[in-house]
Amino acid sequence: MQRIRLRYTKRGRLRFTSHRDFQRAFERALRRSAVPMAYSAGFTPHPKVSYANAAPTGVASEAEYLEIGLADFRDPAALRALLDESLPIGLDIIDAVEVHTPNFVERLEASEWQIRLDGVEPAEAARAAEKFLAAEEVEVSRQTKNGLRVFDARGAVAALELAEAQVGDGNDTGTESAADVRQGGPCAILRLVVRHATPAVRPDDVLSGLRVTADLAPPVPAEVTRLAQGPLDEETGTVTDPLALDRAAAPTGR
C-alpha cells in the first residue's frame, strides 16, 4: 500500500465549511478522480483517509493536512493536480508527498496564525501584544460541552507581534495583495505562533487575553488565517515544513 500526505487550504468563503463538510467534498473528489483507494477491513470497509488537527469552522487556512492510503502506486504530483481539479475553488490541494517517515502528527508542534483586526490601529495592536507577552499568565474562559473552562492562554504562545510589513508603517496592512486592502479605516495584522498543547489555545483565546491584559476590543470580528503548522523552531519562533522529512527520505530516481 502506498501512502500519500496532502496539504490543503480553506480560502475565501470556503473557510466557513466545517471539517465534516470538507470530508464529504474530499470523498467526492476521490470518486471523481478514480483514485485507487485502499480500504479498511471488516463488515463496513472505509477508505483509508486520516486527518490531522483541522482548523475550526470560520477560520481560513493555508496549512491543513491529511493522509490517504492507495491500493496502487500513483505519482504524488499528478495525484495532487487531479484531486485539486475535483475540489471547489478555495479548497485547494497545494502539496503532496509520498510517506517515508512515521509520527507525522507529532511533528505538528505549533501553528502560525495571521489575525486581521479591522478598525484597530497597528500601534495599538503592537502595544497590546507587548502587554500580553509581558504577563506571566493570562487567564481566559471558554464555553465547552462540559461547561465553562478557565485556562492560561499565555503559556502556549511562542510569538505575538505586529506583522512584519506593518512595522514602522501604520498605513500598510501587511497583506500580500492590494485587493485585500480595505480603505476608510485603520487595520492591524498580528502574527501569532501557538504551541499545540492541552488544553488547545486558539486564536480567539489569545484575542480574549488581549482584551484582559490591554483592553483591546476590535469593533468587528477578527479574520483569522492559519499560515503554517509543523515543527517549532524555538530559537526563531517560526514554524517549519512538516513534510520536509518525507521529501528528504524519498528515494532518488523515482
Side-chain angles (χ1 to χ4, degrees):
M1 181 180 73
Q2 183 190 29
R3 292 184 297 151
I4 303 290
R5 287 176 180 145
L6 302 168
R7 177 180 176 180
Y8 67 95
T9 72
K10 291 200 306 175
R11 295 169 171 162
R13 293 183 179 180
L14 273 299
R15 69 185 184 276
F16 294 109
T17 56
S18 68
H19 180 55
R20 183 59 189 145
D21 291 333
F22 176 79
Q23 286 179 309
R24 286 192 288 263
F26 186 68
E27 288 167 7
R28 287 194 294 269
L30 290 171
R31 291 193 294 270
R32 291 193 192 103
S33 304
V35 176
M37 293 297 298
Y39 284 80
S40 61
F43 291 106
T44 55
H46 297 285
K48 290 195 172 182
V49 183
S50 58
Y51 298 87
N53 197 32
T57 303
V59 171
S61 179
E62 293 294 314
E64 302 297 288
Y65 293 93
L66 61 85
E67 182 179 306
I68 60 176
L70 305 182
D72 295 317
F73 177 82
R74 290 291 184 272
D75 174 66
L79 179 66
R80 183 212 67 77
L82 194 63
L83 287 171
D84 187 50
E85 289 177 0
S86 299
L87 284 167
I89 295 174
L91 299 178
D92 304 311
I93 309 293
I94 60 174
D95 202 355
V97 299
E98 187 173 7
V99 173
H100 294 289
T101 60
N103 306 322
F104 178 74
V105 174
E106 294 177 9
R107 286 179 230 161
L108 303 182
E109 298 173 343
S111 286
E112 179 180 353
W113 302 90
Q114 176 181 281
I115 303 176
R116 182 188 179 101
L117 304 171
D118 282 301
V120 176
E121 293 287 353
E124 180 186 3
R127 286 191 296 269
E130 289 174 2
K131 288 184 179 180
F132 180 93
L133 293 175
E136 292 186 6
E137 185 177 89
V138 179
E139 282 196 348
V140 298
S141 60
R142 185 201 305 158
Q143 191 69 38
T144 70
K145 61 182 180 180
N146 296 319
L148 192 66
R149 184 168 191 177
V150 178
F151 57 95
D152 174 33
R154 172 64 186 90
V157 175
L160 178 63
E161 60 191 0
L162 204 65
E164 185 175 347
Q166 291 182 280
V167 175
D169 184 359
N171 293 320
D172 191 336
T173 65
T175 55
E176 295 180 355
S177 168
D180 293 329
V181 179
R182 297 168 195 168
Q183 304 298 326
C187 175
I189 295 180
L190 292 174
R191 172 184 172 269
L192 167 68
V193 177
V194 179
R195 299 179 186 87
H196 297 165
T198 303
V201 173
R202 306 182 309 204
D204 55 320
D205 299 320
V206 174
L207 288 169
S208 296
L210 290 171
R211 190 178 301 112
V212 169
T213 57
D215 198 29
L216 182 69
V220 296
E223 290 186 15
V224 179
T225 302
R226 172 147 57 190
L227 301 179
Q229 62 171 323
L232 175 63
D233 185 329
E234 293 281 359
E235 185 174 340
T236 63
T238 57
V239 178
T240 60
D241 181 11
L243 300 177
L245 288 178
D246 290 298
R247 272 189 273 269
T252 57
R254 225 186 218 187

